[in-house]
Amino acid sequence: MVIFTNMLVESPGIPSQRERILDAAERLFMERGFAAVTLRDIGTELDTTHAALYYHFPGGKEALFAEVAERNVRRHGEGLAAAIEAAGIGLRARLRGAAAWLVSQPPMDLIRMTQSDFPSLPDADAGRIMSLIYELILLRLQAVFETARASGEIADCDPGLVAGGLVGMVESLHSIPVFARRRSLDEMACELLDIVLRGLGYREGGTA
Amino acid sequence: MVIFTNMLVESPGIPSQRERILDAAERLFMERGFAAVTLRDIGTELDTTHAALYYHFPGGKEALFAEVAERNVRRHGEGLAAAIEAAGIGLRARLRGAAAWLVSQPPMDLIRMTQSDFPSLPDADAGRIMSLIYELILLRLQAVFETARASGEIADCDPGLVAGGLVGMVESLHSIPVFARRRSLDEMACELLDIVLRGLGYREGGTA
DNA sequence: GTCTATATAAAGATAGAC
DNA sequence: GTCTATCTTTATATAGAC
C-alpha cells in the first residue's frame, strides 16, 4: 500500500499551500476586484513572495483570478443551497437563511464583476463564471420563489426579477461602512426581507 | 469691458477640454473603478495623450478620480432631487422618478467604491465623498420615505434602511448583461418598486 | 517549493519643444 | 494647450540557485 504525500497534505486541518493561496486570493480579489489586487499583495498576505505563486498557478494572475472567482461562485451557491435546505419549508425561513448566508460572506459585487473584472478575462472564462452565477445562485433563488408561488404562499410575480433584486438589495448592505453599522447586517437583511415578503402577498403556509 | 477667453470656451454647447476630460474620466472610472482605468485609457478616449491630462489635472490620477467621483455623486444627487421634484406628490410617483433617474445613469457601485476605490484615496477625499453620498443621495431618499410616513401613505419603517436597500436593489439591475435584458431597466425597477411599496403598506393619498 | 535576481511590460509622472 | 520623449515606479512574468 502506497501513501501519496499529497494525500497527507490535503487532509483536513492542514491546508496545502495551494489552498492557502486560493483563500487569500479569494478574499482579496472579491473585496477589491481584479485590477486593484497585485500578486505581491497576495504574496505578502501569506508571508511569501509573488514569485512563489507561479509554481502553484503557472497561468499567472488571470488564471488565479479565474479559478478564485469560479470557486467563490461555487461556494456561494453551495452555501446558499445548504442554507435554504437547512431552513426547512416556508418561504420566509428559506429567504432568511439565504440572506444570512449572503451577508456572512465577503461581498459578491456583481456590478463590478460584470463591468470591470470579466472584461479583463478571456471570454471563455468570463462566460463560464457568469453562467455559474446564473445557474448556481440566481436560478437557485428563483426556484424558491417559484415553489412558494406554486403552493400559494405568495402572489404571482416575476421570480427571476425578484430573486435578482433580492440579491442586489442584500449584498448592497456590505457597502455600509463598518463604523456606521448600528445593527448587524443580518438584522437589516431580515427587515428588508419582511417588507418584500409582505409586498409579495406572503401568507405562511400558502393556500393549504 | 474685458472679455475673458475662458468665459467664451465655457459657453454652453462648446465644452472646454477640461470638461471633456471630466466627462470621459467619469464614464470610465464609474464603469470600471479607480484601479482598472489608466490615464492612457482616458487619453485614448479623447484622441489625445495621457500627458495632456496633467495640464488640466496637475494632481494626476488620484486628483482626477477624486474630482470625478465627487462630481458624479453631486450629479446623481441633483438628478435625484430633480426627478423627485418633477414627480410631484405621492410616494409611488416620486420613487418611480428616482428609480428612472438611477437606471438612466451609469451604475453607482457603492460596494466597489467603499471596498476598493476609496481605500486608494487620501482619507480626506474618501471621507468627503462618502459624506456626500450619504447627504445628497441616501438622506434625500430617506426624506421621501419620512414624508410618506408622516402623511400616512406607508406604515412605520426604518426609512434610512429602506432607502439604502432601494438604491442597492435598483442599481443592481445594471449588472444584468445587456444581451440578457428582456425588458428595460426602467420597467424592471418599477416592478420591484411596486412590490416594496406594497410591502410598506402603501395606500395612495395616505390617511387624508 | 520557495527564494533571489532579473527581464519585460505597463502605468504614473515630468521636461521641454512647439 | 498639446505633443514627444523620457524618467521612475510598479507589476507581471521567468530563470536559476538552493
Side-chain angles (χ1 to χ4, degrees):
Chain A
M1 174 65 176
V2 181
I3 295 177
F4 295 99
T5 306
N6 62 347
M7 289 177 65
L8 293 175
V9 301
E10 294 291 351
S11 59
I14 311 170
S16 65
Q17 180 68 346
R18 193 173 194 281
E19 282 298 316
R20 295 183 59 232
I21 293 171
L22 283 171
D23 286 340
E26 182 172 335
R27 197 169 48 70
L28 290 173
F29 275 135
M30 294 304 109
E31 259 175 21
R32 304 186 208 155
F34 178 72
V37 176
T38 71
L39 294 182
R40 281 175 176 82
D41 290 335
I42 299 170
T44 300
E45 194 83 1
L46 299 165
D47 286 314
T48 182
T49 65
H50 72 285
L53 304 179
Y54 284 90
Y55 172 79
H56 302 279
F57 299 92
K61 188 183 184 184
E62 274 192 11
L64 177 56
F65 179 83
E67 179 158 345
V68 147
E70 177 167 338
R71 183 177 185 257
N72 184 256
V73 172
R74 289 189 187 279
R75 221 158 46 77
H76 260 96
E78 284 165 20
L80 203 60
I84 292 168
E85 181 73 20
I89 57 172
L91 180 61
R92 187 192 302 271
R94 285 177 176 168
L95 292 184
R96 286 194 170 185
W101 165 258
L102 288 180
V103 298
S104 78
Q105 294 300 114
M108 186 178 49
D109 187 342
L110 294 178
I111 303 178
R112 193 204 63 220
M113 287 190 192
T114 56
Q115 305 270 329
S116 183
D117 294 342
F118 289 166
S120 306
L121 295 184
D123 285 353
D125 289 322
R128 178 169 36 83
I129 300 169
M130 244 172 52
S131 297
L132 285 173
I133 292 173
Y134 181 68
E135 183 187 325
L136 300 179
I137 297 175
L138 294 177
L139 277 189
R140 188 74 192 79
L141 252 185
Q142 180 175 331
V144 170
F145 285 105
E146 279 165 351
T147 300
R149 173 68 194 90
S151 68
E153 275 184 300
I154 56 173
D156 201 15
C157 68
D158 180 337
L161 177 62
V162 174
L166 204 70
V167 171
M169 189 176 71
V170 170
E171 286 290 337
S172 76
L173 295 174
H174 283 292
S175 68
I176 305 173
V178 175
F179 67 81
R181 296 181 187 174
R182 302 174 55 197
R183 284 185 288 165
S184 73
L185 298 189
D186 201 51
E187 282 175 300
M188 293 190 274
C190 274
E191 183 162 335
L192 290 172
L193 265 186
D194 282 344
I195 294 169
V196 171
L197 278 168
R198 189 172 171 218
L200 291 168
Y202 176 68
R203 49 177 191 169
E204 206 160 327
T207 48
Chain B
M1 173 65 174
V2 181
I3 295 179
F4 295 98
T5 306
N6 62 346
M7 289 178 65
L8 293 175
V9 300
E10 295 290 349
S11 59
I14 310 170
S16 67
Q17 180 69 345
R18 193 173 194 280
E19 283 298 315
R20 295 183 59 232
I21 292 172
L22 283 171
D23 286 341
E26 182 172 334
R27 198 169 47 70
L28 288 174
F29 275 136
M30 294 304 109
E31 258 175 21
R32 304 186 209 156
F34 178 72
V37 176
T38 71
L39 295 181
R40 283 173 176 83
D41 289 337
I42 299 170
T44 301
E45 196 81 0
L46 299 166
D47 285 314
T48 184
T49 65
H50 73 284
L53 304 178
Y54 284 91
Y55 172 79
H56 302 278
F57 300 92
K61 189 183 182 183
E62 274 191 11
L64 177 56
F65 179 83
E67 179 157 347
V68 146
E70 177 166 340
R71 182 179 187 255
N72 183 257
V73 171
R74 290 190 187 279
R75 221 158 45 78
H76 259 95
E78 285 166 20
L80 203 59
I84 292 168
E85 181 74 19
I89 57 171
L91 180 61
R92 186 192 303 270
R94 285 177 175 169
L95 292 183
R96 284 194 173 187
W101 165 258
L102 288 180
V103 298
S104 79
Q105 295 299 112
M108 186 179 48
D109 187 343
L110 294 179
I111 303 179
R112 193 204 62 220
M113 288 190 190
T114 56
Q115 305 270 328
S116 182
D117 294 342
F118 290 166
S120 305
L121 295 184
D123 285 352
D125 289 321
R128 178 170 37 81
I129 300 169
M130 243 171 52
S131 297
L132 285 173
I133 292 173
Y134 181 68
E135 183 188 325
L136 300 179
I137 297 175
L138 294 177
L139 277 189
R140 188 74 192 77
L141 252 185
Q142 180 175 331
V144 170
F145 284 105
E146 279 164 351
T147 301
R149 173 69 195 91
S151 69
E153 275 184 301
I154 56 173
D156 199 17
C157 67
D158 179 337
L161 177 62
V162 175
L166 204 71
V167 171
M169 189 175 69
V170 170
E171 287 291 337
S172 75
L173 295 174
H174 283 292
S175 68
I176 305 174
V178 176
F179 67 81
R181 296 180 188 176
R182 302 175 55 195
R183 286 185 287 166
S184 73
L185 297 188
D186 202 51
E187 284 175 299
M188 293 191 275
C190 274
E191 183 163 337
L192 289 172
L193 265 186
D194 282 343
I195 294 170
V196 171
L197 278 168
R198 188 171 173 218
L200 291 169
Y202 176 70
R203 47 177 192 171
E204 205 159 330
T207 49

